[in-house]
Amino acid sequence: MATGPGDGRDPSADDASNYDYRGDTVERPGLVADLESLVEGDVRFDEYTRQLYATDASIYEVTPVGVVFPRSTADVAAVMEYCADRGVPVLPRGGGTSLAGQAVNEAVVLDTTRHMDGLVGVDPEGREARAQPGIALGDLNAELAPHGLKFAPDPAWGDKSVLGGAIGNNSTGAHSLQYGKTDAYIEACEVVLADGTVTTFGEVDRETLAERGDPDGDLEARIYAELDRILREEADEIDARYPDLKRNVSGYNLDWVVEDAADGTVNLAALLAGSEGTLAIVTEATVSLEPVPETKAMALLAYDELVAAMADVDDILAHDPAAVEVLDDTLVGLARETAEFEDVVEVLPEGTRAVLLVEFYADSDAAGERKVADLLADRTAGVDARRDPTDDGVTVDAPVRAFDALEAHDDAERERFWKLRKSGLPILLSRTSDDKHVAFIEDTAIPPEHLPEYVSDFQAILDDHDTFASFYAHAGPGVLHIRPLVNTKTVEGVAQMESIADAVTDLVVEYGGSVSGEHGDGRARTQWNRKLYGEDLWQTFRDLKTAFDPDWLLNPGQVCGDVDMTEHLRFDPDYEFDAGFDAALEWDNENGMQGMVELCHGCGGCRGPQETTGGVMCPTYRAADEEITATRGRANMLRQAMSGDLPDDPTGDEFVAEVMDLCIGCKGCAKDCPSEVDMAKLKAEVEHAHHQKHGVGLRDRLFANVDTLARVGSALAPLSSLPQRLPGARTLLEKTVGIASDRSLPTFRRRTLTDWFASRGPQVPEGEAERRALLFPDTYTNYSHPEVGKAAVRVLEAAGVHVRLADRTDSGRPAHSKGLLDESRATAAANVDALAPRVRNGWDVVVVEPSDAVMFQSDYLDLLGHDDADAVALAENAYGVCEYLDQFGLDSGVDWSAPAESLTYHGHCHQKATRKDHHAVGVLRRADFDVDPLDSGCCGMAGSFGYEAEHYSMSRAIADILFDQVERSRGETVVAPGASCRTQLGDRAEADGEPPHPIEKLADALP
């Protein structure tokens, strides 16, 4: 199985870069060889890996020296000691989800997420856990769940963010009102210091700190001495200058240390919270845990303006909520226009221009209901008081209250409310123009009582700079996410960004807030710490940094360094873009294909594990655990190749093989990615351009024309199935054509579905039918599994549909999946010419195979254009077979007689990506089947991908994730609508043949 860049590539091959640190030239080949001899983990300094780690989720891009994937604390210590001797910077990095740029630097990056990602131990009685820094918070909490415990801080990307990153950023989340920040949960940390020393930081009493401190001692002693000095000399200044907030992650965590010291102890591990890897490298952490709440309850409060909502926050806090979240009119309006969220927005009371979501934790449902009732009673009282005039006709001066409210107590309704809140990020990040909602001052923290004035003043700053932003997120602790619309590709845009940041920092200081209440300092905000804390504390920060890191090698420049927010921008005025070819597909967005290439902002949503994240995206990353196999990795590499940061031709053999080849075209990113990066479509463009320049291989031609092969195989059946059974035939096929010898090949039926239907004819007269449907006899159904098509005909007719078969069998999907876009376009045009007239005459087109249905519904518009009226008509009237039954309620009139059988349902990734996967589950349940739908990704077969010899191991690795889910499911029988999925499931160990299509189970349930 291909596992990413560096395998088979000489990591020192890109020898153009030598590194000059503090006057000494460090050459890459020697650096690589030395590190490889020192560590058990992987050492990668090739150009591809360096570019993969040049970005995080921020607006910045800095190419690192190289990347090491340590396996142990000893590896980390060896790298740090070696680099310290040579003056080479080091950057510990987790999931790369940082929004301020603290996870990119010109340094040797230590990625702990590959190997150092385990849970070391749990003490349920003591409510503590010990874990390595690379463990994802979602995985950590999944392992703690059986004990009824959790690591409480809940950043939005907790299932992708890791423990080390949470410590480095002092992370928190929507429920910080209840739980606070990460610093409250750090009991002890094993760390590697800047000279390679391994030690443990935890709680020490004040006297011990002073006794162990020695300004002339070893590094650890000097650290203790400096902390002792700060506590003796700087405590008053720290008390005076640090903002009095629940949420402040700017600067070093000295206020926490001072508060601790007042009780006679100091927790040095908590000092690392928010240090962004600039003080020490955490290699293991002991954290305290919280019990999982028994139940929750929510209220949705509607306001006619944002400032009114902000004015209500301080009073709401008196009710002790766990979370108070806000959504402004900009996002409510955009959500209303977005298909995914319009059903959520429709519940809002008329006139809603701002929303507060208030969640309570409770010990019982009754207690939760009482908390919501108390809140709503208070809101109603406020409204009545404000609206009732006094005897002299003057309106009572009462607090501003919501004009309406909704409440939610069951899981589904609460999830609906949270879905509305979470709609903000996907909408903001979906812009494909040069103007972006940029994260640079988006998480300021303000005392909640000042929010109304602050929001008004912030809006005035935006007006002065001729731009706008949306306001959303954590109103309870005073942390609003505010991302102004800025174009950093222009000189004016960069100046505008810095000017806004400067003005907002002044505003923050005026209101006693912090420049970062959640996302940290990094490259975006480090320079503003000087203004926030003053010169004296700025120097204290630098002295502390020097005590920990005398040569400033650990993530240099951050927190109290010299990074400038306008430097190292991913998109700057010098940025240029040249794809090197013209787009072959229609891109219905601003900036066309370029807009899509540049759309990934790096949040790492594609890196989530199946067990805790679910969804479709990104199956190859889940199987390989390699950045280059994630959507983020491919998107970054493609953009870097097209902008010149990576010198490779994006259509060249090496780039296509290394970067694009393992994308299986599942389309999951088009749904699961917050920005909706459509990597499957981008891959089709790149492969098409590659074919134009380099020609098309034999195997690609064969797979692209599988309909012709199947037709010949059917005509020669059963003889056509004999050769693959001959000894050595499959081995020969693998050596000559590249089809995996371990993969079972399709068999063909002499009597096709079209043959069967021609002799049978429709059974429901056209004049008596509920609807008229053309069933599309796709290649797989027609020639290999006609029984599925027969089942579809029987069920449709039982539902009162007049059925006929289309006289076309190739949707164009095979050619499209191989990047042969001219061929798929020609097939699409022919199908539209054949089917559109019938559609205009009132016929529906129904498809058994999900990928073919999505081809009609979506890909034809990319091939033929959204202004092709016939293509649009076909797209709007084409349905998967279960979608068709569900959409029009056709199954409601069937007198089902299902056997007592439970089903495990695995949906097709293309259906999931287009949000059409739920239809089959609904119909099966109404037919009285007990259905357990899997939250599964792609099966790994992906059309021809799983047949290709070099992809077979990857295909099986992806399938193993699905197989594990099937084993844990409650269903007796697996059903899957996709032909590829059924092949993959049929090939698994101990499988009793291929599983049925859902339509076959429905046919079994007919009277």
Side-chain angles (χ1 to χ4, degrees), residues 328-340:
D328 74 352
D329 61 325
T330 299
L331 286 174
V332 168
L334 290 171
R336 188 172 280 114
E337 299 169 7
T338 305
E340 183 180 358

Side-chain angles (χ1 to χ4, degrees), residues 298-315:
M298 290 186 75
L300 183 154
L301 306 177
Y303 300 82
D304 53 14
E305 62 171 350
L306 177 63
V307 173
M310 294 298 93
D312 208 7
V313 171
D314 200 37
D315 287 340

Side-chain angles (χ1 to χ4, degrees), residues 35 98 161 236 240 398 521 559 561 578 592 605 745 831 873 895 901 956:
L35 289 175
S98 302
S161 306
D236 291 343
D521 296 323
V559 182
D578 181 10
L745 299 175
N831 285 340
D895 185 17
E901 185 178 12
R956 294 293 292 186

Side-chain angles (χ1 to χ4, degrees), residues 619 664 906-907 909 937-943 954-960 962-963 980-982 984-985:
I664 58 178
H906 165 66
C909 49
C938 182
C939 70
M941 196 67 185
M954 172 62 83
S955 173
R956 294 293 292 186
I958 296 170
D960 285 342
L962 172 59
F963 296 165
S980 292
C981 308
R982 300 199 300 277
Q984 186 79 287
L985 287 162

Side-chain angles (χ1 to χ4, degrees), residues 70-354:
R71 290 185 176 272
S72 63
T73 299
D75 275 2
V76 174
V79 171
M80 190 68 250
E81 182 178 3
Y82 176 88
C83 290
D85 288 344
R86 290 154 183 80
V88 180
V90 175
L91 165 62
R93 170 168 159 146
T97 59
S98 302
L99 285 160
Q102 56 265 63
V104 294
N105 216 327
E106 187 179 353
V108 172
V109 172
L110 296 175
D111 182 350
T112 60
T113 64
R114 172 82 44 76
H115 304 301
M116 297 180 67
D117 61 348
L119 176 62
V120 179
V122 181
D123 175 11
E125 296 298 322
R127 289 187 181 177
E128 287 187 351
R130 234 169 5 118
Q132 293 178 301
I135 189 170
L137 299 185
D139 290 345
L140 174 60
N141 282 330
E143 297 206 47
L144 296 173
H147 304 290
L149 299 170
K150 67 176 181 176
F151 178 69
D154 57 346
W157 290 105
D159 47 1
K160 295 93 178 171
S161 306
V162 299
L163 180 60
I167 295 171
N169 208 53
N170 204 3
S171 294
T172 181
H175 297 92
S176 63
L177 290 173
Q178 181 82 18
Y179 295 124
K181 306 188 298 293
T182 295
D183 51 18
Y185 300 92
I186 305 174
E187 301 298 325
C189 288
E190 178 190 79
V191 300
V192 173
L193 301 180
D195 63 354
T197 298
V198 178
T199 189
T200 298
F201 284 157
E203 192 171 272
V204 296
D205 60 63
R206 184 71 181 80
E207 292 76 12
T208 301
L209 182 72
E211 291 171 0
R212 293 180 63 179
D214 182 356
D216 299 317
D218 61 17
L219 182 56
E220 189 171 359
R222 297 200 301 274
I223 291 169
Y224 278 73
E226 179 59 20
L227 284 171
D228 178 57
R229 184 198 69 78
I230 289 172
L231 289 172
R232 285 185 288 103
E233 300 177 7
E234 310 287 350
D236 291 343
E237 180 72 3
I238 291 168
D239 281 336
R241 293 300 302 240
Y242 269 72
D244 183 17
L245 295 168
K246 290 180 178 290
R247 298 278 289 265
N248 172 31
V249 298
S250 283
Y252 288 123
N253 209 19
L254 291 176
D255 56 338
W256 185 277
V257 175
V258 169
E259 186 178 337
D260 255 9
D263 295 327
T265 61
V266 176
N267 186 344
L268 276 74
L271 179 61
L272 300 179
S275 65
E276 301 182 0
T278 63
L279 300 181
I281 303 170
V282 175
T283 54
E284 192 174 289
T286 300
V287 295
S288 56
L289 308 172
E290 291 284 344
V292 176
E294 290 294 329
T295 189
K296 304 171 187 177
M298 290 186 75
L300 183 154
L301 306 177
Y303 300 82
D304 53 14
E305 62 171 350
L306 177 63
V307 173
M310 294 298 93
D312 208 7
V313 171
D314 200 37
D315 287 340
I316 292 172
L317 295 178
H319 290 266
D320 194 28
V324 181
E325 300 287 294
V326 65
L327 208 66
D328 74 352
D329 61 325
T330 299
L331 286 174
V332 168
L334 290 171
R336 188 172 280 114
E337 299 169 7
T338 305
E340 183 180 358
F341 303 111
E342 60 183 355
D343 64 323
V344 183
V345 179
E346 70 183 14
V347 307
L348 297 180
E350 186 176 352
T352 300
R353 295 182 60 79

Side-chain angles (χ1 to χ4, degrees), residues 211 219 466 706 928:
E211 291 171 0
L219 182 56
D466 194 27
V706 69
D928 290 330

Side-chain angles (χ1 to χ4, degrees), residues 360-401:
F360 295 96
Y361 288 167
D363 294 331
S364 67
D365 290 339
E369 290 171 5
R370 282 196 301 272
K371 288 185 176 186
V372 171
D374 289 345
L375 176 72
L376 297 188
D378 187 31
R379 304 303 90 191
T380 304
V383 171
D384 292 343
R386 192 171 73 253
R387 291 179 177 172
D388 289 342
T390 60
D391 292 339
D392 58 6
V394 178
T395 302
V396 174
D397 185 15
V400 174
R401 302 299 189 203

